Structure formats: C-alpha cells, structure tokens
Amino acid sequence: MGPYPGTVATPWSLTIDCASPSTLAGFWAEALGYAPAPPPPGWSSWDAWFDDHDVPVDERGDGAFLHDPAGVAPAISFLRVPEDKIVKNRMHLDLAVGGGRHVAWDERRRRVVTEVERLVALGATVLAEVPADRPDHVTMADPEGNEFDVL
C-alpha cells in the first residue's frame, strides 16, 4: 500500500538538474512526445502562479516542466543549477522503441536506428553501440551530456 489512502504506489516525478531548463525541456518534449505542463489548477498561467507565490521575475526561467499529455507517464521537471555535469549518470532513461527481444533483431535494429537518427537531429549525440559487434542498444547523450539508452 502506498503512502496515500487508496494508493498502491507512491506518486513520483523526475527532476533533471541542468544549465538551460527551457532548452533541455524542449529536447525531451520532442524525444518523448511530452508537452509543457499546464499551470497548476486555479491559475490561468504560470506567470499568475509565480506572482501569487512571490517568485522573482529573474528566477522564472530557472525551471521548466513537462507532462505526458495522455496522463500516463510521470512528469519531468528541469531545474537550473550552477554546477556543470561532471560524471556519468547513475540513473538513466531507456527509450524502448525496438519492441523488446521477442521482435526479430533486424526489425528492432531498424527501429532503434530510426529513433537514433531522429534524436541526433534534435541535438543528441551517440556515445556507444552496445555490444559493438551486434548492437542491442545505443547509448546517447542529450544536449547537456546526460546519458540515456535507445533500445
């Protein structure tokens, strides 16, 4: 049982520290099919919410927020931090576009390659194909260097 009455799991979202929240949110919105999050219920805009919560104008670009338009997947927040990324992620996203191991390797590979090409056009970079001899997945980095896999 989750921490809230009637829930099975704990509600959660993903937060990504970054240098440019709007740029990274734009990349991940395109990569995942997400959209900018609407303002919280009761506010007509994010600026209205910021005004009501006394958020200074010069801090309003310090975050960007995405949601799954279908309401199924978790929300994602991007928060500006002063430090650069310096080490490999210990947690990463897997974009499961290939369909799983029950799909023939040639078809999985075609799907993965197509998605990798799309993501490169959006600003991602290829880091490695794993394993190199018959790739099961491709490790990539988003525009700020955060690793993720396409499988």
Side-chain angles (χ1 to χ4, degrees), residues 98-136:
R101 290 188 179 247
H102 62 282
V103 175
W105 185 85
D106 289 344
E107 177 59 18
R108 284 195 337 258
R109 182 71 182 149
R110 184 193 64 73
R111 293 174 185 176
V112 168
V113 167
T114 299
E115 184 66 0
V116 166
E117 290 170 353
R118 185 180 81 84
L119 294 169
V120 166
L122 293 174
T125 55
V126 173
L127 300 178
E129 295 192 36
V130 183
D133 60 334
R134 188 170 185 212
D136 179 61

Side-chain angles (χ1 to χ4, degrees), residues 58-76:
D58 64 335
E59 291 181 14
R60 295 182 184 192
D62 286 351
F65 312 97
L66 299 178
H67 76 121
D68 171 8
V72 177
I76 305 174

Side-chain angles (χ1 to χ4, degrees), residues 14-21 23-25 27-28 76-79 81 83-95 119 123-127 138-150:
L14 176 66
T15 299
I16 299 174
D17 292 345
C18 59
S20 178
T23 299
L24 211 53
F27 170 82
W28 283 107
I76 305 174
S77 300
F78 300 86
L79 299 179
V81 295
E83 65 276 359
D84 290 333
K85 179 184 178 303
I86 55 174
V87 298
K88 181 182 181 295
N89 299 5
R90 294 294 303 236
M91 182 185 305
H92 66 267
L93 298 179
D94 285 341
L95 306 186
L119 294 169
T125 55
V126 173
L127 300 178
V138 177
T139 298
M140 302 186 75
D142 72 15
E144 288 200 13
N146 300 300
E147 298 91 358
F148 65 97
D149 290 330
V150 179

